[in-house]
Amino acid sequence: MTIHSAVIQKLLRTNAHLGRRVAENHFKIYTYGSRNGLTIIDSDKTLVCLRSACNFIGHLASQNARFLFVNTNPVVDEIIEQMIINTGCKNDTSWRLGGFLTNRFSPKRFRSRNQKFNLTSVNRPDCVVIFDTERKSSVILEATRLQIPIVGLVDPSMPLETFKKITYPVPANDSVQFVYLFCNLITKTIQYEQKKLAAAKGNVVKEVEPKIGEAALPAGTIKIDGVNDELTVLPYEGLSPASDDPTEIKELLEKLVVVKINDNKGTKMGFDGPKSAIEIANGLTSLDLLANYIEVLNSKYGCNVPLLLMNDDSTHDETLKIVEKQSNKNIICLVKDQHQENDVKIAFDQREALLSLKKSGKLDDLLSQGKEFILMLNSDNLAEVVDLNILNHVIKNKIKYCMEIEERFRIATTMNTWVNINTIANHPETKLFGPPIAITIPVSQNLPVEDTSDLLVFKSDLYTCDKGILIRNDARINPANPIIELGPEFEKVADFESRFKSIPSIIDLDILKVSGDVWFGSGVILKGLVSINARPGEKIVIPDGAVLDNKSIDDQQDLSE
């Protein structure tokens, strides 16, 4: 395979060739044809335009030029923020206000305000890079008036008047995957020119590795016992499939123990108790879902996979109440050791939970029962399933320690962990594991509950519960879940539940933003992009059976229009 073919395949994997509508005449120079009313963009043309845009950006970067990155799509905000951080570019956000360039020194009066405010842009940029040109025509107009060159993604339906103002158009679908690829190319281009400038001055530029959140780790390394070990990553698709023979599957499962660290409290969501006790669907908690799933697994294959719950003092009593309803299932509750540091209790990670099992003698009991592997579950993930392909891989290859990771934007987030019981029982506490093995898992296997916005997704008609597993509704066309942002009025679980007579239908919802004193009736249907903003002192009630399709609501009267 030639380099050109590999690059074209990379573009095709990002869906860059899929146009949304039939192309306008001026755009047809970039098209390969059409199918079912949709434009097929010529990937060769996209590649040529990408090279031209990056060459121009690199030329400006070599002269320490100032860039302005413009985006209004919240789905890719994180990607662009990381690009800005990695390149060290200062991005002025005053572009969100009209006249940010052409009237930047003129006083502007805002509605509902008596005072005037100066839109003082930090510096006029040398180049504007726009990732959603169709929605930011005002930015294009202002940059054109000041003769500032524009690099932007262009859509087949873009009007000719807007298209002509873009200096370096890049014809492509603005999918998350392509935006990531585009941002990565911009990052590498700018960093390359920065290195050349630094080398000319005798300086060394150190690249900044992207890192998002405490649990996010670079895709090539992971921190274990204070040491960065090389991480061998295996693609899930490369695993040998487990046998379909029920007898062989039973033999695999008989060697397994499922452990859930149950020390995460729901205080962030205003819930006084363990997070696993929050109702998710049909009156079931996440702990109920897990217990039901394990029971179905045992019944189907005639095996005995026990479920161990590692609680702490603050979650143990409430967990026992849930387990009482599951008295017919093989569930064991343990209270793990509490590490003390300056008289403050420290939450334990998986390593400390394993050491607690070792000290209690529970590992010896498991070994005597013929158990060989522990599957430690991420406590916030609702898609907790025993993957037979991974279980088969770790047993047959006698792997000591294997992590499931979900990789997004070159950031690897740790999911479930597979641990050989003999490794824990026979090794000193200071070094439990050697260099780890990691397996990348599909995004669909990570369904975390972090706030009430996630609760809205899982309680809606987008998911149903079947035998302890949340199943996504096939009626939804968009492969991604809706982006939901609920205001502080919905932050606590009790407030969240009181503001909905019933959870709205969100099968066709893309983005929902709710702020202020908003209440939902029963049978509400949300579609497309919906924004509901109640002003201070005002109340908005969404009536029963209302259908909000690409609707922006700022007061009660907007619902009658």
Side-chain angles (χ1 to χ4, degrees), residues 111-176:
R111 187 175 67 177
S112 302
R113 293 184 182 178
N114 295 323
Q115 71 272 23
K116 292 184 178 180
F117 180 77
N118 281 333
L119 303 179
T120 53
S121 180
V122 176
N123 275 306
R124 174 177 152 175
D126 299 297
C127 176
V128 177
V129 182
I130 306 179
F131 297 89
D132 44 355
T133 48
E134 188 174 7
R135 284 180 275 183
K136 293 314 300 174
S137 56
S138 61
V139 177
I140 297 173
L141 181 62
E142 292 198 48
T144 303
R145 286 177 179 174
L146 296 177
Q147 297 184 344
I148 299 174
I150 301 172
V151 175
L153 302 184
V154 295
D155 187 80
S157 61
M158 177 174 292
L160 178 61
E161 295 76 22
T162 304
F163 181 85
K164 291 191 298 185
K165 295 179 175 64
I166 300 177
T167 317
Y168 289 90
V170 179
N173 186 318
D174 59 347
S175 64
V176 174

Side-chain angles (χ1 to χ4, degrees), residues 266 269-271 278 452 455 490-498:
M269 302 167 65
F271 185 78
I278 297 176
T452 52
L455 273 184
F490 295 80
E491 189 173 36
K492 296 182 178 180
V493 174
D495 295 336
F496 166 84
E497 293 176 345
S498 67

Side-chain angles (χ1 to χ4, degrees), residues 206-439:
K206 184 179 180 180
E207 291 188 21
V208 179
E209 287 288 343
K211 188 173 182 179
I212 304 174
E214 296 180 355
L217 299 170
T221 61
I222 183 167
K223 197 170 185 179
I224 299 176
D225 297 333
V227 179
N228 283 332
D229 293 333
E230 289 298 324
L231 183 64
T232 302
V233 180
L234 303 176
Y236 182 83
E237 296 77 11
L239 300 180
S240 299
S243 171
D244 294 331
D245 186 354
T247 302
E248 294 186 18
I249 295 177
K250 178 182 177 180
E251 291 179 0
L252 292 176
L253 292 173
E254 288 289 6
K255 301 177 181 180
L256 180 66
V257 179
V258 177
V259 176
K260 181 181 180 71
I261 301 178
N262 192 44
D263 63 350
N264 197 349
K265 296 197 68 178
T267 51
K268 179 183 176 183
M269 302 167 65
F271 185 78
D272 187 17
K275 204 172 181 181
S276 59
I278 297 176
E279 181 182 330
I280 302 298
N282 301 327
L284 300 176
T285 67
S286 61
L287 191 54
D288 290 326
L289 294 176
L290 175 60
N292 291 342
Y293 169 76
I294 298 294
E295 179 64 17
V296 169
L297 201 65
N298 287 331
S299 300
K300 182 177 180 180
Y301 295 105
C303 55
N304 181 25
V305 178
L307 172 61
L308 271 65
L309 302 177
M310 299 295 293
N311 309 318
D312 62 18
D313 293 333
S314 62
T315 61
H316 187 63
D317 293 339
E318 191 68 25
T319 302
L320 288 178
K321 294 178 183 178
I322 301 176
V323 172
E324 286 178 1
K325 299 184 297 183
Q326 308 281 354
S327 56
N328 60 327
K329 299 179 177 63
N330 188 3
I331 303 177
I332 304 170
C333 286
L334 301 175
V335 179
K336 63 182 182 179
D337 295 337
Q338 291 293 314
H339 177 62
Q340 297 281 344
E341 185 173 304
N342 297 328
D343 298 326
V344 178
K345 288 185 178 181
I346 306 298
F348 276 27
D349 57 10
Q350 292 183 350
R351 177 181 179 277
E352 297 298 334
L354 291 172
L355 290 176
S356 182
L357 282 174
K358 181 179 180 180
K359 292 177 182 178
S360 67
K362 192 62 184 176
L363 288 185
D364 294 332
D365 293 340
L366 295 174
L367 287 172
S368 65
Q369 298 172 23
K371 305 300 179 182
E372 296 182 9
F373 273 87
I374 289 176
L375 171 60
M376 303 201 71
L377 301 176
N378 184 316
S379 60
D380 293 337
N381 184 18
L382 296 181
E384 294 166 340
V385 294
V386 178
D387 193 297
L388 295 176
N389 292 339
I390 299 179
L391 177 60
N392 178 62
H393 180 80
V394 295
I395 289 178
K396 289 192 174 181
N397 292 277
K398 298 180 180 180
I399 294 175
K400 298 179 180 179
Y401 179 46
C402 177
M403 301 165 46
E404 296 178 11
I405 61 173
E406 181 204 353
E407 189 174 351
R408 291 184 182 182
F409 319 136
R410 296 191 65 197
I411 303 298
T413 303
T414 306
M415 301 301 299
N416 303 331
T417 305
W418 302 76
V419 184
N420 190 304
I421 298 178
N422 280 297
T423 302
I424 312 167
N426 301 324
H427 283 71
E429 297 179 4
T430 54
K431 188 68 176 177
L432 287 181
F433 314 112
I437 301 295
I439 297 176

Side-chain angles (χ1 to χ4, degrees), residues 423-496:
T423 302
I424 312 167
N426 301 324
H427 283 71
E429 297 179 4
T430 54
K431 188 68 176 177
L432 287 181
F433 314 112
I437 301 295
I439 297 176
T440 56
I441 63 170
V443 176
S444 59
Q445 289 184 221
N446 181 20
L447 300 176
V449 178
E450 298 177 352
D451 50 37
T452 52
S453 298
D454 297 321
L455 273 184
L456 175 57
V457 173
F458 299 127
K459 284 177 171 286
S460 72
D461 56 352
L462 189 58
Y463 283 92
T464 56
C465 178
D466 182 29
K467 298 178 181 178
I469 301 177
L470 288 181
I471 300 176
R472 197 167 183 267
N473 196 325
D474 292 334
R476 181 169 176 83
I477 300 175
N478 191 334
N481 280 348
I483 298 172
I484 297 179
E485 297 180 13
L486 300 179
E489 295 80 8
F490 295 80
E491 189 173 36
K492 296 182 178 180
V493 174
D495 295 336
F496 166 84

Side-chain angles (χ1 to χ4, degrees), residues 86 187-188 191-192 195 204-210 410:
N86 295 338
T187 300
K188 296 301 182 184
Q191 286 181 344
Y192 176 74
K195 285 182 179 180
V204 177
V205 177
K206 184 179 180 180
E207 291 188 21
V208 179
E209 287 288 343
R410 296 191 65 197

